[in-house]
Amino acid sequence: MSNQVDTPLKRELGLIDALSVGLGAIIGAGIFVLIGIAAGLAGPAVVLSVVIAGISASFTALSFCELGSALPKSGGVYEYGHTLIHPLVGFLMGWMWVAGNIVLGATASQGFAFYLSFFIHGLDFHIVAALLVVFVTLINILGAKLSAWVNNVFVAIKVLVLILLVAVGLLAVQAENFTPFMPRGFMPVLEAASLFYFAYIGFPRIATMAEEVRDPEKNIPRAILLALGISALLYALVSFTAVGVAGWQRLASSSAPLAEVAEMLGLGWVIGVGGLVATFSVVLTSVMGQSRVFFAMARNNEIPQKLSEVSERFGTPVYSILLSGGIMLVLVLFMDISGLAMLTSFLVLLSHVLTNYASLRLYRDKKFNPAFKAPLRPLHAFIGMALSLALALSVEVTAIKIGVILIVVGIVWFYIYKTYVKSKI
């Protein structure tokens, strides 16, 4: 091992790799489940809900594009808050983002075990999930380029699976399934859009890899916007096809709505494969993103500096990757994480509120001249901040309480550890 200062991260990832990281994080198991819940709220207008959710997410995405272009450093939200707001705020942004994504990755690993049980019966979900976490941690250690290559393959498979479902399904769409279009009015359409917003919020993982992306000032904004646009198009086509084939009532009453559609089309195996590759790539990019935030924090002496060391052989922050994988491993083996989805949403959305605020600070700070400038800036940041705050406060009260406790723990850690580090200097 060598210190990070001596062995910098390698810029090995091109635009396609960065785009794939975004798609790997965004297109997860959510689309396979959320479509049914959202259809139950909006009816056939769930297609409109998907589009509204994508537009809503784009305001925060534009903030990430500007910030990623101006501050192309590992750590993403952590670096934005640290540089543009205050070191404590930056630390808390990274703290919240990592906590939320660790739970998300652990949940996805259990989802992988669930989909694998379609093909192999009698599996122990916890053991399968744990083995997956160990495997993706090893891949991440062996190099960002290898991780990106594996992710590229899995992203291509899951995109092709959804395209196949749409291509076959469009031939079986029945127009009567779209009438009445809004059986419960417009407000439930907005409720469904709020729900579906969570299916889009994987794009910030691209920003965490900034120091490993070639020409990051241009490629990070491009990758974020392309990932969001491709995901939105796929989601809209899948939701249209699902409603057209099965009808919204049938989707709403099913715990596996896309599996239902696939069975009707004679493509039952498709959803099993799609679910496997979707959850795998979410876990892979989850470890990838978390470790880079830990790496950035350690570089600033806010967590043990050992975590900022980069392997001379592999060019990756091995100790940060092991910490990310290790925490996820403990979660999947020893904790019930089924009820923590809302906590993930609260923490990630709150970090997005602050990210949009950082974008406003970027706009006002004349020292920065980002290569990417959002249209109508800084209006997008105001809208993104308001939407993220509204959604963060809409989660259940228990999740908010646990989230606040985690934030307090983060504040205590920050001041105690910084005091400890100063005493050692």
Side-chain angles (χ1 to χ4, degrees), residues 95-129:
W95 183 271
M96 290 186 290
W97 192 87
V98 164
N101 277 271
I102 282 175
V103 173
L104 180 63
T107 305
S109 69
Q110 291 190 346
F112 177 88
F114 172 74
Y115 283 107
L116 189 60
S117 69
F118 284 157
F119 300 98
I120 306 172
H121 300 293
L123 293 173
D124 184 310
F125 279 20
H126 293 286
I127 298 301
V128 172

PDB file of all heavy atoms in Angstrom, residues 95-129:
ATOM      1  N   TRP A  95     -21.857  11.963   5.136  1.00  0.00           N
ATOM      2  CA  TRP A  95     -22.332  11.036   6.166  1.00  0.00           C
ATOM      3  C   TRP A  95     -23.730  10.524   5.819  1.00  0.00           C
ATOM      4  O   TRP A  95     -23.996   9.329   5.848  1.00  0.00           O
ATOM      5  CB  TRP A  95     -22.327  11.785   7.497  1.00  0.00           C
ATOM      6  CG  TRP A  95     -22.720  11.031   8.733  1.00  0.00           C
ATOM      7  CD1 TRP A  95     -23.986  10.897   9.237  1.00  0.00           C
ATOM      8  CD2 TRP A  95     -21.858  10.355   9.650  1.00  0.00           C
ATOM      9  NE1 TRP A  95     -23.957  10.183  10.406  1.00  0.00           N
ATOM     10  CE2 TRP A  95     -22.666   9.838  10.689  1.00  0.00           C
ATOM     11  CE3 TRP A  95     -20.480  10.141   9.708  1.00  0.00           C
ATOM     12  CZ2 TRP A  95     -22.144   9.119  11.757  1.00  0.00           C
ATOM     13  CZ3 TRP A  95     -19.961   9.421  10.774  1.00  0.00           C
ATOM     14  CH2 TRP A  95     -20.787   8.915  11.780  1.00  0.00           C
ATOM     15  N   MET A  96     -24.633  11.463   5.474  1.00  0.00           N
ATOM     16  CA  MET A  96     -26.018  11.087   5.138  1.00  0.00           C
ATOM     17  C   MET A  96     -26.066  10.272   3.851  1.00  0.00           C
ATOM     18  O   MET A  96     -26.778   9.271   3.756  1.00  0.00           O
ATOM     19  CB  MET A  96     -26.887  12.338   5.010  1.00  0.00           C
ATOM     20  CG  MET A  96     -27.165  13.047   6.314  1.00  0.00           C
ATOM     21  SD  MET A  96     -28.340  14.421   6.139  1.00  0.00           S
ATOM     22  CE  MET A  96     -27.365  15.623   5.223  1.00  0.00           C
ATOM     23  N   TRP A  97     -25.305  10.723   2.855  1.00  0.00           N
ATOM     24  CA  TRP A  97     -25.342  10.039   1.560  1.00  0.00           C
ATOM     25  C   TRP A  97     -24.820   8.613   1.680  1.00  0.00           C
ATOM     26  O   TRP A  97     -25.410   7.675   1.148  1.00  0.00           O
ATOM     27  CB  TRP A  97     -24.525  10.832   0.539  1.00  0.00           C
ATOM     28  CG  TRP A  97     -24.729  10.377  -0.862  1.00  0.00           C
ATOM     29  CD1 TRP A  97     -25.697  10.775  -1.737  1.00  0.00           C
ATOM     30  CD2 TRP A  97     -23.937   9.390  -1.555  1.00  0.00           C
ATOM     31  NE1 TRP A  97     -25.558  10.107  -2.935  1.00  0.00           N
ATOM     32  CE2 TRP A  97     -24.490   9.255  -2.852  1.00  0.00           C
ATOM     33  CE3 TRP A  97     -22.825   8.620  -1.215  1.00  0.00           C
ATOM     34  CZ2 TRP A  97     -23.965   8.375  -3.792  1.00  0.00           C
ATOM     35  CZ3 TRP A  97     -22.304   7.749  -2.148  1.00  0.00           C
ATOM     36  CH2 TRP A  97     -22.869   7.636  -3.430  1.00  0.00           C
ATOM     37  N   VAL A  98     -23.713   8.458   2.409  1.00  0.00           N
ATOM     38  CA  VAL A  98     -23.135   7.121   2.591  1.00  0.00           C
ATOM     39  C   VAL A  98     -24.086   6.229   3.381  1.00  0.00           C
ATOM     40  O   VAL A  98     -24.313   5.072   3.013  1.00  0.00           O
ATOM     41  CB  VAL A  98     -21.766   7.217   3.294  1.00  0.00           C
ATOM     42  CG1 VAL A  98     -21.343   5.870   3.829  1.00  0.00           C
ATOM     43  CG2 VAL A  98     -20.702   7.720   2.321  1.00  0.00           C
ATOM     44  N   ALA A  99     -24.648   6.751   4.475  1.00  0.00           N
ATOM     45  CA  ALA A  99     -25.561   5.950   5.297  1.00  0.00           C
ATOM     46  C   ALA A  99     -26.752   5.466   4.474  1.00  0.00           C
ATOM     47  O   ALA A  99     -27.127   4.286   4.520  1.00  0.00           O
ATOM     48  CB  ALA A  99     -26.038   6.763   6.503  1.00  0.00           C
ATOM     49  N   GLY A 100     -27.324   6.375   3.694  1.00  0.00           N
ATOM     50  CA  GLY A 100     -28.464   5.998   2.865  1.00  0.00           C
ATOM     51  C   GLY A 100     -28.106   4.974   1.813  1.00  0.00           C
ATOM     52  O   GLY A 100     -28.847   4.006   1.587  1.00  0.00           O
ATOM     53  N   ASN A 101     -26.949   5.145   1.173  1.00  0.00           N
ATOM     54  CA  ASN A 101     -26.569   4.239   0.099  1.00  0.00           C
ATOM     55  C   ASN A 101     -26.076   2.886   0.595  1.00  0.00           C
ATOM     56  O   ASN A 101     -26.197   1.887  -0.114  1.00  0.00           O
ATOM     57  CB  ASN A 101     -25.518   4.901  -0.797  1.00  0.00           C
ATOM     58  CG  ASN A 101     -26.145   5.813  -1.828  1.00  0.00           C
ATOM     59  OD1 ASN A 101     -26.486   5.392  -2.927  1.00  0.00           O
ATOM     60  ND2 ASN A 101     -26.355   7.077  -1.459  1.00  0.00           N
ATOM     61  N   ILE A 102     -25.529   2.844   1.813  1.00  0.00           N
ATOM     62  CA  ILE A 102     -25.151   1.551   2.385  1.00  0.00           C
ATOM     63  C   ILE A 102     -26.395   0.701   2.628  1.00  0.00           C
ATOM     64  O   ILE A 102     -26.428  -0.491   2.307  1.00  0.00           O
ATOM     65  CB  ILE A 102     -24.349   1.749   3.688  1.00  0.00           C
ATOM     66  CG1 ILE A 102     -22.908   2.137   3.356  1.00  0.00           C
ATOM     67  CG2 ILE A 102     -24.357   0.479   4.545  1.00  0.00           C
ATOM     68  CD1 ILE A 102     -22.050   2.477   4.561  1.00  0.00           C
ATOM     69  N   VAL A 103     -27.436   1.327   3.177  1.00  0.00           N
ATOM     70  CA  VAL A 103     -28.704   0.604   3.394  1.00  0.00           C
ATOM     71  C   VAL A 103     -29.298   0.181   2.053  1.00  0.00           C
ATOM     72  O   VAL A 103     -29.773  -0.951   1.894  1.00  0.00           O
ATOM     73  CB  VAL A 103     -29.705   1.475   4.174  1.00  0.00           C
ATOM     74  CG1 VAL A 103     -31.066   0.788   4.248  1.00  0.00           C
ATOM     75  CG2 VAL A 103     -29.192   1.752   5.576  1.00  0.00           C
ATOM     76  N   LEU A 104     -29.240   1.084   1.068  1.00  0.00           N
ATOM     77  CA  LEU A 104     -29.769   0.770  -0.265  1.00  0.00           C
ATOM     78  C   LEU A 104     -29.025  -0.409  -0.881  1.00  0.00           C
ATOM     79  O   LEU A 104     -29.631  -1.329  -1.454  1.00  0.00           O
ATOM     80  CB  LEU A 104     -29.649   2.000  -1.164  1.00  0.00           C
ATOM     81  CG  LEU A 104     -30.167   1.853  -2.601  1.00  0.00           C
ATOM     82  CD1 LEU A 104     -31.663   1.582  -2.607  1.00  0.00           C
ATOM     83  CD2 LEU A 104     -29.851   3.104  -3.409  1.00  0.00           C
ATOM     84  N   GLY A 105     -27.701  -0.408  -0.778  1.00  0.00           N
ATOM     85  CA  GLY A 105     -26.904  -1.502  -1.326  1.00  0.00           C
ATOM     86  C   GLY A 105     -27.187  -2.817  -0.628  1.00  0.00           C
ATOM     87  O   GLY A 105     -27.283  -3.874  -1.271  1.00  0.00           O
ATOM     88  N   ALA A 106     -27.320  -2.770   0.698  1.00  0.00           N
ATOM     89  CA  ALA A 106     -27.629  -3.987   1.456  1.00  0.00           C
ATOM     90  C   ALA A 106     -28.998  -4.536   1.073  1.00  0.00           C
ATOM     91  O   ALA A 106     -29.184  -5.750   0.911  1.00  0.00           O
ATOM     92  CB  ALA A 106     -27.579  -3.688   2.956  1.00  0.00           C
ATOM     93  N   THR A 107     -29.957  -3.632   0.905  1.00  0.00           N
ATOM     94  CA  THR A 107     -31.304  -4.045   0.490  1.00  0.00           C
ATOM     95  C   THR A 107     -31.269  -4.676  -0.897  1.00  0.00           C
ATOM     96  O   THR A 107     -31.923  -5.696  -1.147  1.00  0.00           O
ATOM     97  CB  THR A 107     -32.259  -2.836   0.483  1.00  0.00           C
ATOM     98  OG1 THR A 107     -32.241  -2.220   1.770  1.00  0.00           O
ATOM     99  CG2 THR A 107     -33.676  -3.256   0.151  1.00  0.00           C
ATOM    100  N   ALA A 108     -30.498  -4.073  -1.810  1.00  0.00           N
ATOM    101  CA  ALA A 108     -30.387  -4.616  -3.170  1.00  0.00           C
ATOM    102  C   ALA A 108     -29.747  -5.995  -3.162  1.00  0.00           C
ATOM    103  O   ALA A 108     -30.111  -6.863  -3.957  1.00  0.00           O
ATOM    104  CB  ALA A 108     -29.584  -3.659  -4.053  1.00  0.00           C
ATOM    105  N   SER A 109     -28.793  -6.222  -2.250  1.00  0.00           N
ATOM    106  CA  SER A 109     -28.147  -7.537  -2.188  1.00  0.00           C
ATOM    107  C   SER A 109     -29.145  -8.614  -1.761  1.00  0.00           C
ATOM    108  O   SER A 109     -29.099  -9.751  -2.247  1.00  0.00           O
ATOM    109  CB  SER A 109     -26.948  -7.511  -1.229  1.00  0.00           C
ATOM    110  OG  SER A 109     -27.364  -7.361   0.107  1.00  0.00           O
ATOM    111  N   GLN A 110     -30.069  -8.257  -0.865  1.00  0.00           N
ATOM    112  CA  GLN A 110     -31.115  -9.201  -0.486  1.00  0.00           C
ATOM    113  C   GLN A 110     -32.105  -9.393  -1.634  1.00  0.00           C
ATOM    114  O   GLN A 110     -32.646 -10.479  -1.830  1.00  0.00           O
ATOM    115  CB  GLN A 110     -31.825  -8.726   0.778  1.00  0.00           C
ATOM    116  CG  GLN A 110     -30.932  -8.793   2.011  1.00  0.00           C
ATOM    117  CD  GLN A 110     -31.672  -8.568   3.306  1.00  0.00           C
ATOM    118  OE1 GLN A 110     -32.806  -8.105   3.326  1.00  0.00           O
ATOM    119  NE2 GLN A 110     -31.030  -8.895   4.419  1.00  0.00           N
ATOM    120  N   GLY A 111     -32.331  -8.319  -2.410  1.00  0.00           N
ATOM    121  CA  GLY A 111     -33.174  -8.440  -3.599  1.00  0.00           C
ATOM    122  C   GLY A 111     -32.568  -9.398  -4.608  1.00  0.00           C
ATOM    123  O   GLY A 111     -33.283 -10.175  -5.258  1.00  0.00           O
ATOM    124  N   PHE A 112     -31.243  -9.360  -4.758  1.00  0.00           N
ATOM    125  CA  PHE A 112     -30.544 -10.288  -5.645  1.00  0.00           C
ATOM    126  C   PHE A 112     -30.819 -11.730  -5.215  1.00  0.00           C
ATOM    127  O   PHE A 112     -31.107 -12.600  -6.051  1.00  0.00           O
ATOM    128  CB  PHE A 112     -29.041 -10.008  -5.609  1.00  0.00           C
ATOM    129  CG  PHE A 112     -28.208 -10.957  -6.423  1.00  0.00           C
ATOM    130  CD1 PHE A 112     -27.959 -10.713  -7.758  1.00  0.00           C
ATOM    131  CD2 PHE A 112     -27.668 -12.105  -5.846  1.00  0.00           C
ATOM    132  CE1 PHE A 112     -27.193 -11.589  -8.522  1.00  0.00           C
ATOM    133  CE2 PHE A 112     -26.898 -12.985  -6.589  1.00  0.00           C
ATOM    134  CZ  PHE A 112     -26.660 -12.728  -7.929  1.00  0.00           C
ATOM    135  N   ALA A 113     -30.736 -11.988  -3.904  1.00  0.00           N
ATOM    136  CA  ALA A 113     -30.996 -13.336  -3.384  1.00  0.00           C
ATOM    137  C   ALA A 113     -32.430 -13.764  -3.677  1.00  0.00           C
ATOM    138  O   ALA A 113     -32.694 -14.925  -4.016  1.00  0.00           O
ATOM    139  CB  ALA A 113     -30.734 -13.371  -1.879  1.00  0.00           C
ATOM    140  N   PHE A 114     -33.359 -12.818  -3.589  1.00  0.00           N
ATOM    141  CA  PHE A 114     -34.767 -13.101  -3.878  1.00  0.00           C
ATOM    142  C   PHE A 114     -34.956 -13.525  -5.339  1.00  0.00           C
ATOM    143  O   PHE A 114     -35.612 -14.527  -5.634  1.00  0.00           O
ATOM    144  CB  PHE A 114     -35.615 -11.869  -3.573  1.00  0.00           C
ATOM    145  CG  PHE A 114     -37.046 -11.978  -4.012  1.00  0.00           C
ATOM    146  CD1 PHE A 114     -37.946 -12.768  -3.314  1.00  0.00           C
ATOM    147  CD2 PHE A 114     -37.494 -11.290  -5.125  1.00  0.00           C
ATOM    148  CE1 PHE A 114     -39.270 -12.881  -3.725  1.00  0.00           C
ATOM    149  CE2 PHE A 114     -38.808 -11.390  -5.548  1.00  0.00           C
ATOM    150  CZ  PHE A 114     -39.698 -12.192  -4.846  1.00  0.00           C
ATOM    151  N   TYR A 115     -34.344 -12.773  -6.267  1.00  0.00           N
ATOM    152  CA  TYR A 115     -34.485 -13.104  -7.691  1.00  0.00           C
ATOM    153  C   TYR A 115     -33.767 -14.410  -8.037  1.00  0.00           C
ATOM    154  O   TYR A 115     -34.230 -15.173  -8.888  1.00  0.00           O
ATOM    155  CB  TYR A 115     -33.953 -11.956  -8.564  1.00  0.00           C
ATOM    156  CG  TYR A 115     -34.909 -10.797  -8.655  1.00  0.00           C
ATOM    157  CD1 TYR A 115     -34.666  -9.605  -7.992  1.00  0.00           C
ATOM    158  CD2 TYR A 115     -36.086 -10.898  -9.396  1.00  0.00           C
ATOM    159  CE1 TYR A 115     -35.546  -8.544  -8.062  1.00  0.00           C
ATOM    160  CE2 TYR A 115     -36.974  -9.834  -9.474  1.00  0.00           C
ATOM    161  CZ  TYR A 115     -36.698  -8.670  -8.809  1.00  0.00           C
ATOM    162  OH  TYR A 115     -37.588  -7.625  -8.875  1.00  0.00           O
ATOM    163  N   LEU A 116     -32.640 -14.671  -7.375  1.00  0.00           N
ATOM    164  CA  LEU A 116     -31.922 -15.921  -7.633  1.00  0.00           C
ATOM    165  C   LEU A 116     -32.757 -17.129  -7.212  1.00  0.00           C
ATOM    166  O   LEU A 116     -32.662 -18.209  -7.818  1.00  0.00           O
ATOM    167  CB  LEU A 116     -30.578 -15.918  -6.886  1.00  0.00           C
ATOM    168  CG  LEU A 116     -29.621 -17.066  -7.222  1.00  0.00           C
ATOM    169  CD1 LEU A 116     -29.251 -17.060  -8.706  1.00  0.00           C
ATOM    170  CD2 LEU A 116     -28.353 -16.976  -6.363  1.00  0.00           C
ATOM    171  N   SER A 117     -33.605 -16.930  -6.206  1.00  0.00           N
ATOM    172  CA  SER A 117     -34.454 -18.038  -5.732  1.00  0.00           C
ATOM    173  C   SER A 117     -35.489 -18.449  -6.779  1.00  0.00           C
ATOM    174  O   SER A 117     -36.083 -19.526  -6.694  1.00  0.00           O
ATOM    175  CB  SER A 117     -35.158 -17.659  -4.427  1.00  0.00           C
ATOM    176  OG  SER A 117     -36.128 -16.654  -4.645  1.00  0.00           O
ATOM    177  N   PHE A 118     -35.730 -17.570  -7.785  1.00  0.00           N
ATOM    178  CA  PHE A 118     -36.602 -17.954  -8.902  1.00  0.00           C
ATOM    179  C   PHE A 118     -36.011 -19.130  -9.670  1.00  0.00           C
ATOM    180  O   PHE A 118     -36.726 -19.953 -10.224  1.00  0.00           O
ATOM    181  CB  PHE A 118     -36.794 -16.778  -9.880  1.00  0.00           C
ATOM    182  CG  PHE A 118     -37.745 -15.712  -9.392  1.00  0.00           C
ATOM    183  CD1 PHE A 118     -37.673 -14.423  -9.896  1.00  0.00           C
ATOM    184  CD2 PHE A 118     -38.714 -15.993  -8.442  1.00  0.00           C
ATOM    185  CE1 PHE A 118     -38.538 -13.432  -9.466  1.00  0.00           C
ATOM    186  CE2 PHE A 118     -39.591 -15.016  -8.001  1.00  0.00           C
ATOM    187  CZ  PHE A 118     -39.497 -13.736  -8.516  1.00  0.00           C
ATOM    188  N   PHE A 119     -34.680 -19.161  -9.727  1.00  0.00           N
ATOM    189  CA  PHE A 119     -33.983 -20.170 -10.509  1.00  0.00           C
ATOM    190  C   PHE A 119     -33.470 -21.329  -9.656  1.00  0.00           C
ATOM    191  O   PHE A 119     -33.395 -22.466 -10.118  1.00  0.00           O
ATOM    192  CB  PHE A 119     -32.805 -19.532 -11.257  1.00  0.00           C
ATOM    193  CG  PHE A 119     -33.200 -18.439 -12.204  1.00  0.00           C
ATOM    194  CD1 PHE A 119     -33.105 -17.104 -11.835  1.00  0.00           C
ATOM    195  CD2 PHE A 119     -33.683 -18.737 -13.468  1.00  0.00           C
ATOM    196  CE1 PHE A 119     -33.479 -16.086 -12.708  1.00  0.00           C
ATOM    197  CE2 PHE A 119     -34.062 -17.737 -14.348  1.00  0.00           C
ATOM    198  CZ  PHE A 119     -33.963 -16.404 -13.970  1.00  0.00           C
ATOM    199  N   ILE A 120     -33.076 -21.019  -8.407  1.00  0.00           N
ATOM    200  CA  ILE A 120     -32.545 -22.047  -7.505  1.00  0.00           C
ATOM    201  C   ILE A 120     -33.337 -21.989  -6.200  1.00  0.00           C
ATOM    202  O   ILE A 120     -33.221 -21.027  -5.436  1.00  0.00           O
ATOM    203  CB  ILE A 120     -31.041 -21.818  -7.214  1.00  0.00           C
ATOM    204  CG1 ILE A 120     -30.242 -21.717  -8.513  1.00  0.00           C
ATOM    205  CG2 ILE A 120     -30.495 -22.943  -6.334  1.00  0.00           C
ATOM    206  CD1 ILE A 120     -28.793 -21.303  -8.315  1.00  0.00           C
ATOM    207  N   HIS A 121     -34.135 -22.994  -5.944  1.00  0.00           N
ATOM    208  CA  HIS A 121     -34.996 -22.981  -4.761  1.00  0.00           C
ATOM    209  C   HIS A 121     -34.227 -23.411  -3.504  1.00  0.00           C
ATOM    210  O   HIS A 121     -33.221 -24.110  -3.578  1.00  0.00           O
ATOM    211  CB  HIS A 121     -36.198 -23.905  -4.975  1.00  0.00           C
ATOM    212  CG  HIS A 121     -37.045 -23.510  -6.156  1.00  0.00           C
ATOM    213  ND1 HIS A 121     -37.772 -22.358  -6.179  1.00  0.00           N
ATOM    214  CD2 HIS A 121     -37.248 -24.121  -7.360  1.00  0.00           C
ATOM    215  CE1 HIS A 121     -38.418 -22.254  -7.342  1.00  0.00           C
ATOM    216  NE2 HIS A 121     -38.099 -23.320  -8.079  1.00  0.00           N
ATOM    217  N   GLY A 122     -34.722 -22.971  -2.353  1.00  0.00           N
ATOM    218  CA  GLY A 122     -34.161 -23.395  -1.070  1.00  0.00           C
ATOM    219  C   GLY A 122     -32.921 -22.648  -0.632  1.00  0.00           C
ATOM    220  O   GLY A 122     -32.194 -23.106   0.246  1.00  0.00           O
ATOM    221  N   LEU A 123     -32.654 -21.485  -1.234  1.00  0.00           N
ATOM    222  CA  LEU A 123     -31.466 -20.714  -0.873  1.00  0.00           C
ATOM    223  C   LEU A 123     -31.664 -19.966   0.440  1.00  0.00           C
ATOM    224  O   LEU A 123     -32.776 -19.542   0.764  1.00  0.00           O
ATOM    225  CB  LEU A 123     -31.147 -19.699  -1.979  1.00  0.00           C
ATOM    226  CG  LEU A 123     -30.692 -20.253  -3.329  1.00  0.00           C
ATOM    227  CD1 LEU A 123     -30.595 -19.119  -4.335  1.00  0.00           C
ATOM    228  CD2 LEU A 123     -29.346 -20.954  -3.195  1.00  0.00           C
ATOM    229  N   ASP A 124     -30.596 -19.777   1.178  1.00  0.00           N
ATOM    230  CA  ASP A 124     -30.622 -18.926   2.365  1.00  0.00           C
ATOM    231  C   ASP A 124     -30.356 -17.491   1.901  1.00  0.00           C
ATOM    232  O   ASP A 124     -29.256 -17.165   1.445  1.00  0.00           O
ATOM    233  CB  ASP A 124     -29.544 -19.369   3.361  1.00  0.00           C
ATOM    234  CG  ASP A 124     -29.596 -18.585   4.664  1.00  0.00           C
ATOM    235  OD1 ASP A 124     -29.630 -17.344   4.603  1.00  0.00           O
ATOM    236  OD2 ASP A 124     -29.588 -19.217   5.741  1.00  0.00           O
ATOM    237  N   PHE A 125     -31.374 -16.626   2.005  1.00  0.00           N
ATOM    238  CA  PHE A 125     -31.273 -15.263   1.488  1.00  0.00           C
ATOM    239  C   PHE A 125     -30.081 -14.506   2.077  1.00  0.00           C
ATOM    240  O   PHE A 125     -29.363 -13.811   1.363  1.00  0.00           O
ATOM    241  CB  PHE A 125     -32.560 -14.490   1.791  1.00  0.00           C
ATOM    242  CG  PHE A 125     -33.678 -14.771   0.833  1.00  0.00           C
ATOM    243  CD1 PHE A 125     -33.684 -15.925   0.052  1.00  0.00           C
ATOM    244  CD2 PHE A 125     -34.733 -13.893   0.700  1.00  0.00           C
ATOM    245  CE1 PHE A 125     -34.703 -16.197  -0.836  1.00  0.00           C
ATOM    246  CE2 PHE A 125     -35.774 -14.153  -0.181  1.00  0.00           C
ATOM    247  CZ  PHE A 125     -35.760 -15.305  -0.941  1.00  0.00           C
ATOM    248  N   HIS A 126     -29.869 -14.648   3.384  1.00  0.00           N
ATOM    249  CA  HIS A 126     -28.804 -13.895   4.051  1.00  0.00           C
ATOM    250  C   HIS A 126     -27.424 -14.326   3.555  1.00  0.00           C
ATOM    251  O   HIS A 126     -26.544 -13.479   3.320  1.00  0.00           O
ATOM    252  CB  HIS A 126     -28.897 -14.084   5.563  1.00  0.00           C
ATOM    253  CG  HIS A 126     -30.116 -13.460   6.167  1.00  0.00           C
ATOM    254  ND1 HIS A 126     -30.247 -12.101   6.329  1.00  0.00           N
ATOM    255  CD2 HIS A 126     -31.264 -14.008   6.639  1.00  0.00           C
ATOM    256  CE1 HIS A 126     -31.417 -11.833   6.876  1.00  0.00           C
ATOM    257  NE2 HIS A 126     -32.059 -12.970   7.075  1.00  0.00           N
ATOM    258  N   ILE A 127     -27.239 -15.621   3.375  1.00  0.00           N
ATOM    259  CA  ILE A 127     -25.934 -16.119   2.909  1.00  0.00           C
ATOM    260  C   ILE A 127     -25.672 -15.672   1.473  1.00  0.00           C
ATOM    261  O   ILE A 127     -24.559 -15.226   1.137  1.00  0.00           O
ATOM    262  CB  ILE A 127     -25.871 -17.664   3.004  1.00  0.00           C
ATOM    263  CG1 ILE A 127     -26.013 -18.124   4.464  1.00  0.00           C
ATOM    264  CG2 ILE A 127     -24.561 -18.177   2.419  1.00  0.00           C
ATOM    265  CD1 ILE A 127     -24.937 -17.582   5.394  1.00  0.00           C
ATOM    266  N   VAL A 128     -26.676 -15.783   0.615  1.00  0.00           N
ATOM    267  CA  VAL A 128     -26.510 -15.358  -0.784  1.00  0.00           C
ATOM    268  C   VAL A 128     -26.186 -13.874  -0.852  1.00  0.00           C
ATOM    269  O   VAL A 128     -25.283 -13.444  -1.581  1.00  0.00           O
ATOM    270  CB  VAL A 128     -27.772 -15.672  -1.605  1.00  0.00           C
ATOM    271  CG1 VAL A 128     -27.669 -15.055  -3.003  1.00  0.00           C
ATOM    272  CG2 VAL A 128     -27.977 -17.176  -1.715  1.00  0.00           C
ATOM    273  N   ALA A 129     -26.925 -13.069  -0.081  1.00  0.00           N
ATOM    274  CA  ALA A 129     -26.690 -11.623  -0.069  1.00  0.00           C
ATOM    275  C   ALA A 129     -25.281 -11.317   0.424  1.00  0.00           C
ATOM    276  O   ALA A 129     -24.579 -10.453  -0.135  1.00  0.00           O
ATOM    277  CB  ALA A 129     -27.723 -10.934   0.810  1.00  0.00           C
TER     278      ALA A 129
END
